[in-house]
Amino acid sequence: MKFVQIIEFETEHLEEMQEVLDEAGQRNADRAGGPTHSTLLKDRDKPNRYLALIEFESFEEAMRNSDDPETTRMAERLNALSIGERVYTNCDVLDVRDLK
C-alpha cells in the first residue's frame, strides 16, 4: 500500500531548504526504496508555514529511508532552517483519483 508522510513546518529560509531537498532528490534518483513523489504546499493564511507531502511505495520503504544515515543528515540540516518543531503525519493512501 502506498504511503505518504506529511511534514508541516515553518521557515524563513525556503530557498535554502529547497536546495537541501534538491540535493537529496539527486542522491535518491537511482536508489530503490526512496521517495517516489513529493509535493510542497504553502499555507496562504499563515506566512512561512508549509506542508511537504512525501510519497513512498510502502510504509516499510519509508521506514527504511528514514533509517538511512543520509536521511538523518538531511533532516538535521532542514531542522536548522526551520522555525520550531516540524510535525509529521503518517498516512496510508486509500484512494487517488484524477478528477479531470
Side-chain angles (χ1 to χ4, degrees), residues 79-91:
N79 192 47
L81 297 168
S82 296
I83 299 169
E85 294 292 318
R86 289 172 286 157
V87 176
Y88 294 84
T89 303
N90 297 316
C91 304

Side-chain angles (χ1 to χ4, degrees), residues 12-81:
E12 294 175 344
H13 305 281
L14 183 62
E15 289 180 16
E16 292 170 62
M17 289 184 101
Q18 287 179 306
E19 289 174 12
V20 172
L21 294 171
D22 288 345
E23 290 172 19
Q26 291 171 5
R27 180 179 53 83
N28 287 325
D30 295 324
R31 188 176 68 114
T36 58
H37 296 89
S38 68
T39 302
L40 181 63
L41 308 173
K42 179 176 179 14
D43 189 327
R44 287 178 155 256
D45 299 319
K46 295 182 181 178
N48 300 324
R49 181 175 176 258
Y50 302 88
L51 298 162
L53 287 68
I54 313 299
E55 184 177 319
F56 294 85
E57 286 298 325
S58 68
F59 173 77
E60 294 76 20
E61 292 287 339
M63 293 304 99
R64 276 192 286 281
N65 183 71
S66 182
D67 290 339
D68 184 320
E70 286 294 325
T71 301
T72 301
R73 283 189 280 281
M74 178 193 66
E76 290 169 351
R77 290 174 66 193
L78 293 174
N79 192 47
L81 297 168

